[in-house]
């Protein structure tokens, strides 16, 4: 059956490929009690699923990658062993017979018991094996649900797989980076959630907030993804596929053409220079930054170094990462943000998740509450500052008290390093993110105390409009054109420019072509964005004229009618 789904567009481009359901089946298991006469059948259903899963795992052997074949075999052996473990198969069978529950529930319950046992292991390697237990049970659950995991028919197919997930955490998504797949779809999430930001960084079409995609799409369904429109076509006919193949090649051609702008200066038609910097999550993102001609890193989200691991990165590891980013940029500025953990980026070590994490112990609040963690990072950052042009950026500051406390930490760390004879740049610029309304409305403290500012529109919009950026139910309320948001942006940029304090925007708004000219009109001269958006933004800047932009921007600022504002924006972008 063909049908279309609509979600929130995250990352441009067209993908055509087959669905690969990323299972979160475990979370979705319901419990029901069976009449006595059906218990026997339920046990048989479980046995059939176990048998089918075993066949699936054995079949996977045929498709093992040439590289890392030994690891792949070891992984399959382990999964086969877990599948046959009495704690899973026999215990689930007995539970169905004893409690007359459904097979899914029995499996989930046994899995939780086994996972708890693994979690109690002292050995980190053994503890990690709980993930394998979960993966095996998910595979069985998929089979029980009638959506068995499929085996890719050949290694080439991998490249066109489209991941379909109910939800993916930013931590999980970053691990997929080196993998081969062509697009990502999720039921949950807003377009500025960190999951969406990481997806954008992968430069693959991505649509989030699809609500029921994982339920409606089956493994192996043919899909067309239009990442610009947020549209997913399921099992389209041949004509549609041909049409989208054409669009896909046009899109690729456009991308190819943009590459010519790589070393062009980003100047407006009237000769005003604009700095175009890149946002990165890891130092290994640098090749893409260079390919897209960035003149610096405007935001290195250092917290990604802390995710997906059992132990925290120590000073040496952090130092090596920061140094490689700074050295890799050959003297161009590298702005490293102190870790913004909490909210939707939790360390495994986090002891508790706050009831409202976006308003909880996040970013600088967490740093100030965990001085040891913060000091370790500051030492690593300052040491790396000796190797190039580095700046330190502090997220989520709300006002003078936090600024002072932060600066005091930095100055103490500098004293400590000096006393130990360790080199660092004594003048390393310290900047603050403007991402909560309180910060935008207390600019004097920021301008007095800090060397530069960077506006995080993702959070600034989230906190101004009171919409959870990870919640697709309120994603339609995310509105960079809301008069309150525009007021804050104009205020911050204007005040910073008047005080000669450099200011940039590093939230997703900076890379949205619809807003490039508006931000220029507000006085912004430094943008930082996902590397994949840099060249298109440069093209937009090259065709923009400030004398034309300014009067229309003023009209937008003085309007409060959404329709009129959209009309004016269209005029600005004509
Ligand atoms: C922002 O809030 O706009 C920002 C750039 O920071 P992050 O997206 O990492 O919260
Ligand atoms: Mg932010």
């Amino acid at each position: 059956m063909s049908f279309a789904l609509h979600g929130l567009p995250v990352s441009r481009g067209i993908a055509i490929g087959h669905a690969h359901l990323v299972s979160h089946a475990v979370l979705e298991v319901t419990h029901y009690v069976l009449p006595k006469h059906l218990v026997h059948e339920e046990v048989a259903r479980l046995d059939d699923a176990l048998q089918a899963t075993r066949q699936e795992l054995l079949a996977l052997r045929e498709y093992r990658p040439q590289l890392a074949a030994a690891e792949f075999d070891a992984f399959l052996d382990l999964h086969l062993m877990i599948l046959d473990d009495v704690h899973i198969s026999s215990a689930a069978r007995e539970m169905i017979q004893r409690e007359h529950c459904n097979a899914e529930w029995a499996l989930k319950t046994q899995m939780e018991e086994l996972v708890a046992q693994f979690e109690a292991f002292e050995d980190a390697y053994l503890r990690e094996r709980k993930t394998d237990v979960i993966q095996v049970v998910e595979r069985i659950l998929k089979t029980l649900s009638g959506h068995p995991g499929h085996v890719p028919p050949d290694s080439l197919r991998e490249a066109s797989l489209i991941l379909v997930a109910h939800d993916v955490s930013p931590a999980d998504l970053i691990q997929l980076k080196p993998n081969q797949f062509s697009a990502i779809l999720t039921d949950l999430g807003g377009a500025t959630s960190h999951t969406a930001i990481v997806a954008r960084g992968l430069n693959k079409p991505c649509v989030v907030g699809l609500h029921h995609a994982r339920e409606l799409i089956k493994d192996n369904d043919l899909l067309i993804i239009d990442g610009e429109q947020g549209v997913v076509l399921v099992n389209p006919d041949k004509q549609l596929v041909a049409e989208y193949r054409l669009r896909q090649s046009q899109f690729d051609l456009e991308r190819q053409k943009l590459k010519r702008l790589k070393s062009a200066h980003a100047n407006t038609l009237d000769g005003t220079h604009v700095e175009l910097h890149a946002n990165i999550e890891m130092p290994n993102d640098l090749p893409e930054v260079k390919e897209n001609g960035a003149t610096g890193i405007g935001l290195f989200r250092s917290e990604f170094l802390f995710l997906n691991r059992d132990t925290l990165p120590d000073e040496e590891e952090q130092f090596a990462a920061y140094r490689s980013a700074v050295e890799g940029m050959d003297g161009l500025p590298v702005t490293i943000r102190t870790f913004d953990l909490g909210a939707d980026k939790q360390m495994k070590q986090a002891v508790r998740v706050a009831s409202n994490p976006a308003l909880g112990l996040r970013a600088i609040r967490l740093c100030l509450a965990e001085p040891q963690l913060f000091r370790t990072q500051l030492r690593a950052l300052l040491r790396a500052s000796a190797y190039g042009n580095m700046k330190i950026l502090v997220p989520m500051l709300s006002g003078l008290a936090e600024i002072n406390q932060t600066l005091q930490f930095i100055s103490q760390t500098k004293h400590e390093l000096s006393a130990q004879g360790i080199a660092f740049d004594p003048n390393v610029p310290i900047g603050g993110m403007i991402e909560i309304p309180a910060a935008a409305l207390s600019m004097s403290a920021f301008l007095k105390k800090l060397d530069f500012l960077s506006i995080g529109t993702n959070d600034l919009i989230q906190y101004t409009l009171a919409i959870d950026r990870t919640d697709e139910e309120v994603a339609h309320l995310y509105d960079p054109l809301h008069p309150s948001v525009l007021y804050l942006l104009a205020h911050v940029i204007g005040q910073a420019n008047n005080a000669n304090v450099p200011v940039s925007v590093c939230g997703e708004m900076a890379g949205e072509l619809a807003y490039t000219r508006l931000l220029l009109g507000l006085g912004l001269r430094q943008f930082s964005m996902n590397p994949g958006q840099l060249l298109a933004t440069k093209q937009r800047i090259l065709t923009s004229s400030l004398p034309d932009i300014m009067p229309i921007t003023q009209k937008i600022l003085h309007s409060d009618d959404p329709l009129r504002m959209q009309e004016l924006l269209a005029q600005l972008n004509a």
Side-chain angles (χ1 to χ4, degrees):
M1 189 183 58
S2 314
F3 56 94
L5 297 170
H6 296 260
L8 304 164
V10 164
S11 186
R12 292 181 68 214
I14 308 257
I16 302 171
H18 290 89
H20 175 70
L21 299 199
V22 178
S23 182
H24 257 238
V26 171
L27 303 175
E28 292 155 22
V29 165
T30 49
H31 177 213
Y32 51 89
V33 177
L34 297 153
K36 202 171 168 193
H37 68 279
L38 290 182
V39 168
H40 181 70
E41 257 178 53
E42 193 65 4
V43 173
R45 197 166 79 89
L46 172 68
D47 284 340
D48 287 350
L50 290 169
Q51 183 55 19
T53 308
R54 186 171 300 105
Q55 292 309 327
E56 206 179 289
L57 284 170
L58 290 171
L60 268 172
R61 266 202 212 290
E62 308 292 315
Y63 299 98
R64 67 181 191 171
Q66 285 184 353
L67 286 170
E71 286 88 336
F72 193 71
D73 282 348
F75 144 85
L76 281 181
D77 288 343
L78 176 65
H79 279 213
L80 282 163
M81 221 164 78
I82 295 171
L83 187 69
D84 290 330
D85 191 295
V86 284
H87 292 93
I88 294 292
S89 49
S90 313
R93 217 174 274 130
E94 282 162 20
M95 192 173 159
I96 300 172
Q97 280 159 343
R98 196 176 56 243
E99 299 182 14
H100 298 185
C101 63
N102 50 321
E104 289 87 348
W105 188 255
L107 270 171
K108 180 184 155 144
T109 310
Q110 295 313 316
M111 180 204 77
E112 282 170 353
E113 280 182 20
L114 201 53
V115 162
Q117 289 175 22
F118 274 84
E119 273 171 350
F121 285 129
E122 290 226 336
D123 182 284
Y125 175 81
L126 284 178
R127 236 183 5 255
E128 256 315 286
R129 301 289 59 80
K130 73 173 185 207
T131 315
D132 294 284
V133 174
I134 296 171
Q135 284 170 354
V136 171
V137 171
E138 283 190 341
R139 205 176 262 279
I140 311 169
L141 288 172
K142 266 183 153 189
T143 308
L144 279 170
S145 71
H147 300 303
H150 63 271
V151 177
D154 58 50
S155 55
L156 273 183
R157 260 282 310 280
E158 286 282 334
S160 66
L161 286 183
I162 291 170
L163 303 185
V164 185
H166 185 58
D167 191 18
V168 189
S169 73
D172 286 344
L173 198 50
I174 198 116
Q175 286 191 315
L176 292 174
K177 263 194 171 181
N179 292 12
Q180 293 273 295
F181 59 91
S182 63
I184 307 159
L185 306 178
T186 68
D187 287 342
L188 302 186
T192 63
S193 65
H194 284 103
T195 299
I197 291 170
V198 174
R200 204 169 280 133
L202 300 175
N203 250 335
K204 312 226 184 232
C206 172
V207 181
V208 300
L210 282 157
H211 298 282
H212 301 292
R214 223 191 121 269
E215 226 170 87
L216 299 170
I217 296 173
K218 296 196 178 48
D219 250 331
N220 241 348
D221 273 350
L222 179 65
L223 303 178
I224 294 177
I225 315 300
D226 182 337
E228 183 161 18
Q229 302 299 326
V231 172
V232 179
L233 303 172
V234 186
N235 293 323
D237 61 27
K238 279 189 185 151
Q239 204 179 332
L240 260 183
V241 174
E243 198 180 300
Y244 272 89
R245 286 224 186 277
L246 189 68
R247 286 202 210 175
Q248 195 176 30
S249 43
Q250 280 165 343
F251 179 81
D252 291 344
L253 199 68
E254 266 174 47
R255 263 216 175 139
Q256 210 49 37
K257 274 198 211 154
L258 279 176
K259 288 194 175 157
R260 292 188 207 140
L261 298 179
K262 180 180 157 187
S263 26
H265 290 287
N267 292 340
T268 57
L269 287 170
D270 50 294
T272 304
H273 181 63
V274 180
E275 285 294 330
L276 289 181
H277 289 182
N279 294 351
I280 63 167
E281 273 91 46
M282 290 286 191
N284 57 16
D285 292 330
L286 286 199
E288 232 209 309
V289 170
K290 292 185 169 175
E291 266 165 43
N292 288 288
T295 50
I297 305 280
L299 175 66
F300 174 174
R301 290 183 164 98
S302 72
E303 60 274 12
F304 279 88
L305 293 172
F306 292 70
L307 303 180
N308 292 319
R309 48 190 300 157
D310 290 319
T311 53
L312 295 171
D314 63 10
E315 182 182 323
E316 285 315 310
E317 184 182 339
Q318 289 191 55
F319 165 65
Y322 306 146
R323 178 180 167 176
S324 86
V326 168
E327 287 187 331
M329 287 303 286
D330 303 320
L332 292 173
V334 176
T335 311
I336 306 183
R337 175 171 79 181
T338 56
F339 61 77
D340 179 1
L341 289 163
D344 58 346
K345 287 172 292 190
Q346 296 285 350
M347 291 182 284
K348 281 191 181 171
Q349 293 79 359
V351 265
R352 82 183 180 101
V353 175
S355 54
N356 198 341
L359 300 181
L361 206 55
R362 179 189 162 185
I364 189 62
R365 303 168 179 187
L366 180 62
C367 290
L368 297 176
E370 297 280 351
Q372 210 36 53
L373 264 182
F374 195 29
R375 271 205 193 95
T376 305
Q377 180 170 44
L378 289 176
R379 278 182 65 93
L381 284 169
L382 285 167
R383 283 174 57 196
S385 71
Y387 292 85
N389 184 356
M390 196 183 94
K391 302 179 186 190
I392 296 176
L393 178 62
V394 185
M396 285 277 289
L397 288 165
S398 63
L400 189 61
E402 277 171 352
I403 297 177
N404 282 340
Q405 268 179 288
T406 306
L407 293 177
Q408 207 174 348
F409 264 102
I410 295 173
S411 115
Q412 278 167 359
T413 313
K414 283 183 176 174
H415 278 119
E416 210 176 276
L417 290 174
S418 299
Q420 293 171 335
I422 298 174
F424 64 92
D425 172 3
N427 299 316
V428 59
I430 311 295
M433 288 196 69
I434 304 292
E435 48 185 354
I436 47 184
L441 296 171
S442 42
M443 284 296 288
S444 63
F446 285 77
L447 296 172
K448 218 169 22 204
K449 295 280 179 171
L450 297 167
D451 301 310
F452 67 99
L453 302 177
S454 190
I455 309 176
T457 46
N458 307 332
D459 280 315
L460 188 62
I461 296 172
Q462 153 166 267
Y463 294 127
T464 305
L465 301 181
I467 44 159
D468 181 346
R469 60 196 269 199
T470 66
D471 185 351
E472 73 289 348
E473 301 285 346
V474 288
H476 61 287
L477 299 173
Y478 168 86
D479 181 13
L481 274 194
H482 192 284
S484 60
V485 174
L486 288 185
Y487 170 80
L488 293 177
L489 285 173
H491 176 68
V492 174
I493 297 168
Q495 295 265 313
N497 285 346
N498 285 343
N500 270 326
V501 172
V503 58
S504 77
V505 169
C506 63
E508 295 307 287
M509 192 180 171
E512 283 183 57
L513 293 181
Y515 303 123
T516 313
R517 288 185 178 153
L518 178 64
L519 289 170
L520 287 172
L522 294 178
L524 191 76
R525 300 292 176 264
Q526 191 178 314
F527 294 60
S528 190
M529 65 195 73
N530 189 285
Q533 293 158 310
L534 280 165
L535 293 176
T537 307
K538 192 187 278 188
Q539 188 180 42
R540 180 59 60 105
I541 289 169
L542 291 170
T543 56
S544 299
S545 148
L546 286 180
D548 292 346
I549 287 174
M550 302 306 269
I552 308 177
T553 307
Q554 284 309 309
K555 282 190 196 161
I556 293 179
L557 271 181
H558 290 110
S559 172
D560 55 9
D561 172 3
L563 283 179
R564 175 73 185 135
M565 288 166 94
Q566 283 296 347
E567 270 172 28
L568 289 165
L569 189 71
Q571 213 176 314
L572 199 58
N573 289 326

